[in-house]
Amino acid sequence: MADKRELNFKKLIALALIFSVLIIMLYLAYTGQNIKTPDDAYRDAIALDTVAAYQGFLDKHPSSIWAETIAYERDNLIYAELQTTPDLENIVSFLNENPRSRWAPNFRELLRTYFYINHESEATPEYILAINKRIADMSFKNNQASQVTTKSNVAINEYIADTESFENKRVHRGSNVRDEHFTSYVRDITPYLEQLSDKDSVSSKASFLTISDALPEVGFRAYYYNRKSKINYIEVHSELVDNIALQYAYDDLKDIPSEDFAGYWVGQIHCEQDQQKLISIAQSRAQSRVIIDGEIFYEGGISRELLYFCEKGSHKIEVDHFNNWHTTDFFMRISDPVDKIEKTALADILEQLKQPEQPTAEIGLVSVYESAAMNAEIRLDLDKSKEPLVLFLNSYNPVRWIISNVHANNIEAIVYQSFQPGTHVIGDISKSTRIIPLNYGLKINASSGSAKCICHSGYFYCEGGGLLSTLETVKEFTKRPLHGVTIQHEAEQLAYPQRRVTPNFYAEKRYELEKIARQQEVCKQENEPNFDAMFNGVRKSESVTE
């Protein structure tokens, strides 16, 4: 009887296990049909467009490539809600939890504005200093409080220096109170400012955030800093520049180590009407931020091309940059949007440009890795040409090409491309010359004309060269052969052409390729020893000895 009960008990256990397995299998089958990829979850969150949906995505997919975008959208919604119904506790909570958010500067501004709005009648310089202390006492992470404090101190200094600047809405960096509060704020604070002397103002050299020079009408005022200087953030050098382009290595800029470089540029965007503008940003291992009229337009560490809707009038633009590498390569350009063409359309476009009763234009290639100038300019001097010209300008980093055409050559078109955004062409260019930006896709491996090869432990590597393949690539997409080339790794000034592309030139480059092939084979043989060749002789000598 006991054996029978034990048998029945075992059967029950077996049935229970089978039932459990079936339940698990059904559950897995059901959930498997409903498992969504991060891409699916991203689309769902964007469609819902709620803080909860965005936060849910971040909880489930914190390492997704979409995480940064989702966090940006979430913080945008939180900011919009707090703008409508400001709440001190929620603003501080956000800054504590998200100190590195791209919206954090907006929240800090919202915090200061919150104090001003709720205590307008007390808006004295002394009260602003009290705000400083109160904000500084809040335990923001990553020293965010010090940045807010600096901004408020700057506000006092600016009010004292020029109270009318508020009425004119010349909004200073760090004193960007919302437009709708200008009138009441100036009304309340002006009587107190009139009683103050210069000695009561806060030093405008406390930080690079306190720059108070008038905005240049054209170009930018640039300020350069050493982030690890013993005197924190005192500018090392300042200058007026016509565009934002800076590249140097090690400490070649005013003895500022490249990895410790910080820069601030300030200027204006002038728009005669409501229109789109293209802002091109190119950088290497760095972080940058673009602020337009006090609002963050871009913050990040990658190269981008972004459209900005520019309302009629003038707009203050500020650019912050921190570098993190032994070379500094930073470029930002504001331009009208352009339609980049695909390489497959080149031949048809060039054929349409052909002028009646004129010979077919010669194709010329100028290729560099980058400019050798700190401001990324390259002057290109054109030799006299009897035939019309079509120039191809190629680079990796953005270049400001300056065409020098003293011989008044007939340039039908200038085609340009660069891997990093921001390249543009200016100079002696006729109105009839077609400027053609190419969507980077024409593979040109020719930053140096001749290959330099090394063999190390069986590893064979060549730098440069590739010119024959480049010649064939250009011919494939233009339906015309190259007539001249100028190729250099980097330069401040170049002449075109350095070499004419002749049959002898082709023969020379083919010989180089054959020579490289032979060197590669020798490298392989020298570093792939054969066991039999190495040790058979040893074995024979040992057997003879025995």
Side-chain angles (χ1 to χ4, degrees), residues 429-456:
I429 304 171
S430 168
K431 291 182 179 179
S432 62
T433 300
R434 175 82 178 271
I435 306 296
I436 304 173
L438 188 65
N439 193 15
Y440 191 84
L442 199 60
K443 190 174 182 181
I444 296 178
N445 298 319
S447 60
S448 62
S450 299
K452 296 178 181 179
C453 304
I454 59 170
C455 174
H456 183 70

Side-chain angles (χ1 to χ4, degrees), residues 343 346 392 394 415 417 438-445 470 473-474 477-478:
K343 59 186 180 182
L346 270 176
F392 274 78
N394 174 72
V415 183
Q417 70 168 11
L438 188 65
N439 193 15
Y440 191 84
L442 199 60
K443 190 174 182 181
I444 296 178
N445 298 319
T470 294
T473 299
V474 173
F477 290 104
T478 64

Side-chain angles (χ1 to χ4, degrees), residues 316-333:
K316 181 180 180 181
I317 180 167
E318 302 163 89
V319 181
D320 304 329
H321 182 75
F322 289 140
N323 196 57
N324 298 305
W325 194 236
H326 70 278
T327 58
T328 296
D329 297 284
F330 181 57
F331 315 85
M332 195 210 76
R333 182 169 179 259

Side-chain angles (χ1 to χ4, degrees), residues 191-244:
Y192 297 94
L193 297 174
E194 292 173 350
Q195 302 173 20
L196 295 174
S197 63
D198 291 340
K199 66 181 181 180
D200 298 305
S201 65
V202 178
S203 171
S204 62
K205 295 298 180 183
S207 160
F208 73 90
L209 296 174
T210 66
I211 294 161
S212 59
D213 294 304
L215 296 180
E217 285 295 318
V218 179
F220 296 86
R221 188 175 295 278
Y223 300 82
Y224 308 137
Y225 307 87
N226 182 341
R227 285 187 287 150
K228 294 184 179 178
S229 171
K230 293 180 179 179
I231 308 175
N232 194 30
Y233 291 149
I234 298 299
E235 67 196 51
V236 175
H237 179 69
S238 66
E239 61 181 345
L240 285 172
V241 296
D242 56 358
N243 64 310
I244 297 178

Side-chain angles (χ1 to χ4, degrees), residues 519-531:
Q519 291 174 342
Q520 186 173 13
E521 186 61 29
V522 170
C523 179
K524 181 180 178 181
Q525 291 176 358
E526 287 180 351
N527 291 279
E528 289 185 0
N530 182 281
F531 283 112

